[in-house]
Amino acid sequence: MSDHQVDQGKRTWLIATSCAGAVGGVATAVPFVSTFAPSERAKAAGAPVEADISGLKPGEKMTVEWRGKPVWILRRTPEQIAELPKLDAQLADPESKRTAYPIPAYAKNEGRSIKPEYLVVIGICTHLGCSPSDKFVAGPQASLPNDWAGGFLCPCHGSTFDLAGRVFKNKPAPDNLEVPPHMYLSDTRLLIGEDKKA
């Protein structure tokens, strides 16, 4: 009978130490594994940010933050894409030739994008750093021309941009909206801040 009590004591001791070891292991592993994710400071310094665009419907826009700036991802409709070439004569830099900031080679086209359907731009006006408003509905509206085809309006000083982020002529903003480096990880996942595969 005393042997049985000794075995029971060993069993209890083994279970207790195993549980304590498991808890300690998890407590050590969680902080260690979390170090692989970029910190808030690293994100602010420019660590790439991933965006899930699977739920973005044509005509909708989403915003993610990269380097403390809003990055707009707009899924353009076929009609919006077709309208872009018709606006060239009204734009200050339709072919994105100005070099106030680096322009990725894949943004030097009509849609300023890798895929015509998706526009990816930093949502900060190139005039004084305000954030333009969405004005996607075409037609006459306050502060916009009667033949407005849709785009963005900066409420601070009236700069207007088309749905490719290109600035219209005779506006305070000197340049088109900036296109950040980005690449597609899949059809539904976008990486902002890195374009090694581009």
Side-chain angles (χ1 to χ4, degrees):
M1 185 128 177
S2 62
D3 288 341
H4 184 6
Q5 288 175 344
V6 171
D7 289 343
Q8 191 66 19
K10 284 182 183 178
R11 178 180 291 167
T12 303
W13 175 250
L14 285 173
I15 290 171
T17 56
S18 296
C19 288
V23 168
V26 168
T28 304
V30 168
F32 177 72
V33 170
S34 68
T35 62
F36 292 117
S39 66
E40 290 307 313
R41 202 160 112 195
K43 286 179 188 174
V49 176
E50 199 172 311
D52 179 0
I53 56 173
S54 61
L56 205 56
K57 295 179 177 71
E60 289 183 346
K61 182 189 93 173
M62 66 182 285
T63 304
V64 296
E65 187 178 332
W66 174 66
R67 289 188 171 178
K69 299 175 185 176
V71 175
W72 295 340
I73 304 165
L74 170 67
R75 185 173 179 186
R76 296 179 281 216
T77 64
E79 295 78 21
Q80 290 170 333
I81 296 167
E83 197 66 31
L84 293 176
K86 300 174 187 175
L87 301 171
D88 286 4
Q90 301 174 47
L91 302 169
D93 184 20
E95 297 176 8
S96 296
K97 290 185 177 178
R98 294 182 182 171
T99 57
Y101 49 81
I103 301 167
Y106 49 79
K108 293 181 181 180
N109 55 51
E110 202 79 57
R112 301 181 74 228
S113 57
I114 297 170
K115 296 181 179 185
E117 191 176 358
Y118 292 100
L119 171 68
V120 181
V121 291
I122 294 176
I124 296 177
C125 181
T126 56
H127 180 221
L128 293 176
C130 303
S131 188
S133 304
D134 301 344
K135 295 293 180 183
F136 299 156
V137 177
Q141 299 165 59
S143 303
L144 293 169
N146 289 339
D147 62 348
W148 181 247
F152 307 97
L153 166 68
C154 186
C156 301
H157 300 96
S159 293
T160 49
F161 302 86
D162 73 350
L163 290 172
R166 301 176 299 176
V167 68
F168 282 83
K169 288 179 181 175
N170 305 316
K171 298 294 178 177
D175 293 294
N176 297 335
L177 297 178
E178 187 177 350
V179 176
H182 64 280
M183 64 185 191
Y184 290 86
L185 301 174
S186 72
D187 287 340
T188 60
R189 288 170 49 232
L190 188 60
L191 189 67
I192 314 290
E194 193 172 295
D195 58 3
K196 291 178 183 172
K197 292 181 183 176

